[in-house]
Structures are given as C-alpha cells and as structure tokens.
C-alpha cells in the first residue's frame, strides 16, 4: 500500500515542470526587455542602448548555460543578413560610380563569409552557383576590362574610402532590416539582437574616432540611464507574468530580488 499512499514521483515531475516553465518565462522576460530597448533606440542613445542590450544577452546566455539549454547559432538568420548585404551592395554598384574592383572585392568577402556559414550544409553546392552568378553579374555590369585594369597594385586611398562607404551603407541597411524583424516578432529576439549587435559593432568600427574623456563619461552616464530603464521594464514584465500566473510566487519574488540587487549595484556604481 505504500506506493499508493506516497505518490512522490508525480510531485517531483510537477516541480521539474514548474522550474522549466519559470526559466522559460524568465528568458521571455529578458527578451521582452531587449525588444523594448531596440524599439526605443535613437541615434543619440544608440551606443548606450547597445551596451545595455549586450548585458541582457549575456544574462540570457548565462541562464541557458546553467540550465543546460541548447543555444544553437541561428545560421539562417546570419545568412539572411549576408543576403541583405549583397542586395544593398548590388543596388549601390548599379546606381553609383564606384570602382569595379571595390564592388567585386566586397561581394567576394560576402561570398567567403557565406561559404563558412554554409559549411557542412546541403546547400553548399547551390550557394556556390549562386555566388558565382552574382560575381559574373558584377563583371558584366562594369565590364571585365575595367576590372582587370584595377589590379591590387593600383589600389588607391580613394578606393579604400569607397570600400568603407560601401560597407557602411550595407551595414546600415542590415541594421534597419534586423530592427524591423525584431519589431515584427518574426524571429527569435535573442538571435536577432545578436546579429543586430554584431552589425552595430561593425558600424562603430567604421565610424570610430578616439573619444575624449568627457565623451567617455557622458557615454557611461547614458548607459546607466538605459540600464535603469531596462531594470524598470524587467520589473513590469515580472509583475505581468505573475498576474497572468505564468510564473510562481517564489520565482517572482526571486526575480524581483535579483533586480533590486542590480538596482543597488547600479546606484552604488562610481
């Protein structure tokens, strides 16, 4: 009669399920905060917002590691970003008088990156055919002879600047498309923000100028302001999840305590 009186396995299973549900909701809370930060991003606060988003992505990664949650790289999304780059590059090559060698080299870089991502996938052969077609289209657009005349030894500072401007325009295009993807909730927020942050870092490096000490302090203050707002958004998400009975009372209390500690740490930050 003991097994009938002590149905412990059922209780344990319920606890495990509750824990998994709480963790899933916690990840959703952090993803929702990221979406809010992305949607409220402006030119003035872009750098500070990017830093705050990076902190939330780090927290998501840590939670997944501690709970043995697989975090596979979203190859298809990164391939889509490269396709957006190529799309914009071809448009610029068509509409502006840039060096054929600059355009050819940029498309070659996209091709090499794409090949690395596709390695081991069944689409590899198809990708090579596609890339070859794109490169041939570039040659036909500008003329084989004009490209051959611009050998590597003839690369000029103007061509280097053309390359930078071409990449900057393509990167800005990918960023805008990725932000739209996040706003439309058409993909994983974490995956999309990873791609977004990656391209924003590239844009920063293309525009980089050594900041003054005053600028550095202003950026730090701006990051703290964004973090304060993010933590408040997180508290609102926790309360909403609790009211909808999607997380347990214990989990809600634990998450609020975590936010309170981060708020104290932020206020004590010098």
């Amino acid at each position: 009669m003991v097994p009938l009186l002590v149905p412990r396995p059922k209780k344990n299973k319920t606890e495990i399920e509750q824990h998994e549900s709480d963790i899933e909701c916690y990840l959703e809370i952090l993803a929702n905060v990221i979406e809010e930060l992305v949607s409220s991003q402006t030119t003035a606060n872009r750098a500070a917002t990017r830093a705050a988003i990076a902190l939330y992505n780090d927290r998501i990664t840590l939670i997944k590691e501690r709970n043995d949650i697989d975090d596979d790289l979203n190859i298809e999304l990164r391939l889509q970003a490269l396709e957006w780059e190529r799309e914009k590059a071809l448009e610029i090559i068509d509409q502006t008088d840039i060096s054929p060698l600059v355009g050819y080299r940029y498309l070659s870089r996209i091709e090499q990156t794409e090949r690395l991502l596709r390695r081991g996938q069944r689409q590899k052969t198809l990708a090579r055919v596609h890339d070859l077609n794109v490169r041939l289209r570039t040659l036909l657009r500008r003329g084989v002879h004009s490209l051959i005349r611009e050998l590597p030894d003839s690369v000029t500072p103007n061509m280097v600047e053309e390359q930078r401007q071409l990449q900057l325009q393509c990167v800005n295009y990918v960023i805008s498309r990725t932000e739209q993807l996040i706003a439309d909730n058409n993909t994983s927020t974490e995956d999309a923000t990873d791609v977004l942050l990656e391209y924003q870092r590239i844009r920063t490096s293309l525009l980089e100028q050594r900041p003054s000490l005053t600028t550095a302090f202003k950026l730090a203050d701006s990051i703290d302001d964004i973090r304060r707002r993010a933590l408040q958004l997180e508290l609102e998400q926790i309360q909403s999840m609790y009211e909808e009975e999607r997380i347990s009372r214990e989990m809600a209390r634990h998450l609020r305590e975590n936010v309170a500690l981060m708020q104290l740490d932020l206020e004590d930050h010098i």
Side-chain angles (χ1 to χ4, degrees):
M1 294 180 63
V2 173
L4 296 175
L5 297 174
V6 189
R8 290 183 180 177
K10 184 177 179 180
K11 180 180 180 181
N12 291 337
K13 183 178 180 180
T14 301
E15 290 176 354
I16 292 173
E17 288 177 345
Q18 181 63 57
H19 174 74
E20 291 177 347
S21 175
D22 285 344
I23 294 300
E24 182 180 344
C25 289
Y26 189 18
L27 292 172
E28 185 179 337
I29 287 169
L30 299 182
N32 288 342
V33 173
I34 290 174
E35 288 182 11
E36 289 287 342
L37 294 178
V38 170
S39 65
S40 61
Q41 186 176 236
T42 65
T43 303
N45 68 14
R46 181 176 291 119
T49 301
R50 187 176 68 237
I53 290 174
L55 291 174
Y56 272 83
N57 275 332
D58 289 343
R59 288 174 62 188
I60 289 173
T61 299
L62 183 60
I63 292 168
K64 288 186 174 182
E65 288 176 352
R66 288 179 174 175
N67 291 275
D68 295 324
I69 299 174
D70 291 335
D71 190 18
D72 295 330
L73 182 67
N74 191 326
I75 300 296
E76 292 304 320
L77 182 56
R78 292 178 181 273
L79 288 172
Q80 177 63 71
L82 289 173
E83 186 58 38
W84 286 332
E85 270 196 77
R86 179 185 288 113
E87 175 184 317
K88 188 64 177 178
L90 291 171
E91 177 186 328
I92 294 169
I93 290 169
D94 276 341
Q95 297 178 357
T96 61
D97 189 27
I98 70 169
S99 161
L101 183 58
V102 168
Y104 184 80
R105 282 183 165 182
Y106 191 74
L107 291 170
S108 296
R109 183 195 64 79
I110 294 175
E111 174 193 338
Q112 291 167 7
T113 305
E114 192 171 44
R115 186 182 297 118
L116 287 173
L117 289 174
R118 291 184 185 275
R119 181 169 294 169
Q121 290 187 342
R122 295 179 179 177
Q123 302 162 320
K124 185 194 298 185
T125 302
L126 181 60
R128 286 179 177 173
V129 173
H130 174 71
D131 293 330
L132 179 60
N133 286 336
V134 169
R135 297 175 73 173
L136 287 174
R137 285 165 57 197
T138 305
L139 292 173
L140 293 173
R141 275 184 170 90
R142 308 308 302 271
V144 177
H145 295 293
S146 64
L147 181 62
I148 292 175
R149 284 199 301 271
E150 294 181 345
L151 297 174
D153 292 340
S154 65
V155 173
T156 65
N158 286 340
M159 292 171 65
V160 174
E161 178 59 21
E162 280 187 6
Q163 167 79 23
R164 191 182 73 86
Q165 290 296 332
L166 173 60
Q167 185 174 9
L168 184 59
Q169 291 183 67
C170 292
V171 164
N172 282 332
Y173 182 69
V174 173
I175 288 173
S176 66
R177 294 295 298 265
T178 308
E179 288 175 340
Q180 186 60 50
L181 202 63
I182 294 172
D184 293 341
N185 294 316
N186 288 332
T187 189
S188 162
T189 299
E190 184 187 357
D191 290 335
T193 52
D194 279 345
V195 172
L196 179 64
L197 289 173
E198 181 179 325
Y199 276 87
Q200 285 179 334
R201 282 192 291 267
I202 294 172
R203 177 170 61 187
T204 300
S205 68
L206 292 169
L207 298 171
E208 192 171 36
Q209 296 178 348
R210 186 176 293 276
S212 65
L213 190 60
T214 301
T215 302
F217 278 126
K218 287 182 179 179
L219 177 59
D221 289 341
S222 181
I223 292 172
D224 287 347
D225 289 340
I226 298 294
R227 287 182 61 193
R228 288 187 186 93
R229 180 170 176 274
L231 291 173
Q232 184 58 45
L233 289 170
E234 191 172 338
L235 284 174
E236 293 172 3
Q237 288 287 326
I238 293 168
Q239 182 61 27
S240 177
M241 290 270 188
Y242 175 65
E243 290 176 355
E244 294 171 4
E245 298 183 351
R246 296 186 58 191
I247 57 175
S248 63
R249 179 187 296 271
E250 292 77 11
M251 186 63 171
R253 178 180 57 79
H254 176 66
L255 296 183
R256 291 193 191 100
E257 289 174 352
N258 281 346
V259 173
L261 288 173
M262 286 185 282
Q263 287 174 325
L264 285 174
D265 180 66
L266 185 59
E267 296 310 320
D268 290 341
H269 175 65
I270 298 176

